[in-house]
Amino acid sequence: MNTIEFWFDFGSNYSYLSMMRIRRLALDARVRVELKPFMLGPIFKTLGWETSPFVLQAAKGSYVWRDMQRQCAKYGLRWRRPSVFPRNGLLAARVALQGAGTGWEHDFCEQVMLANFADDHEIGDEAVIAGILDGLGVDAGAVIAAAGTDACKAALRARTADAQARGIFGAPTFFVGDEMFWGNDRLEDALAHATGA
């Protein structure tokens, strides 16, 4: 089975769209998904940006929130514009690393995205993350403790450095082998590439 790498940031609104769509689409295409949470902020900083371009550029910001309404309606996804944007996905990303390869990894990532972009919850809040893990039947205390270790912090820094080294400049980004696809609207193209269609 071919593999698609899905690189995303929990604070990225367009990553929300892909997160909620990729599991079913990949299953239908018989493509394995490898989740790759990373932090987009350090990459933005190398570009001279202190925050999202959707915040820095008012016209683009106004456009994107209307676009998200349309896209969520198109895909049948719940949507509420976050009262804080972009939210800090650091804790969620570290927890997601702890879930890599487990049965709860993808469910956790979906639930964090829904918390941010459908329920307007603060995903940087440990109680919110613990609540999601509890709901999935995962030992929240143990996982969050592991997410706070130096080893996990180093792993996430290495993941983000890897993203930058591979030329990632935004999220979501997909890789099929060395072929890169950027943006939620390129998800289907990436899956087609993975299947050779």
Side-chain angles (χ1 to χ4, degrees):
M1 181 178 290
N2 291 329
T3 299
I4 183 173
E5 295 177 16
F6 172 25
W7 292 74
F8 63 95
D9 183 307
F10 283 106
S12 159
N13 50 295
Y14 285 112
S15 292
Y16 165 56
L17 300 178
S18 293
M19 180 63 72
M20 303 310 293
R21 299 193 311 121
I22 195 168
R23 181 150 50 173
R24 181 184 58 78
L25 291 174
L27 183 64
D28 290 346
R30 301 179 61 81
V31 172
R32 189 176 75 86
V33 179
E34 189 172 332
L35 297 178
K36 296 280 192 177
F38 74 107
M39 299 302 294
L40 198 49
I43 293 177
F44 281 168
K45 284 186 178 178
T46 66
L47 300 172
W49 303 340
E50 289 300 318
T51 186
S52 166
F54 299 150
V55 175
L56 295 173
Q57 301 173 37
K60 184 178 283 188
S62 296
Y63 171 82
V64 78
W65 299 127
R66 179 65 185 127
D67 189 49
M68 285 299 297
Q69 288 180 318
R70 291 192 302 250
Q71 293 297 300
C72 288
K74 172 183 171 182
Y75 298 130
L77 299 175
R78 292 194 294 127
W79 164 252
R80 183 188 300 177
R81 178 177 171 175
S83 56
V84 176
F85 180 84
R87 284 202 164 103
N88 188 336
L90 180 63
L91 175 59
R94 288 175 178 166
V95 168
L97 288 183
Q98 299 305 308
T102 69
W104 54 268
E105 177 187 22
H106 207 131
D107 289 335
F108 171 77
C109 293
E110 287 181 351
Q111 290 301 311
V112 172
M113 288 294 193
L114 286 168
N116 194 5
F117 295 108
D119 299 325
D120 192 24
H121 291 164
E122 180 50 69
I123 60 170
D125 187 333
E126 186 173 309
V128 170
I129 297 300
I132 291 171
L133 291 168
D134 287 342
L136 296 173
V138 177
D139 185 340
V143 170
I144 289 174
T149 62
D150 288 343
C152 185
K153 294 175 182 176
L156 183 57
R157 285 195 296 271
R159 171 68 60 79
T160 300
D162 188 24
Q164 189 164 17
R166 295 189 70 179
I168 289 177
F169 52 84
T173 295
F174 313 97
F175 276 98
V176 178
D178 291 329
E179 195 75 12
M180 186 170 85
F181 299 82
W182 174 59
N184 172 66
D185 57 356
R186 294 295 184 270
L187 172 55
E188 282 83 353
D189 291 349
L191 288 167
H193 188 79
T195 62

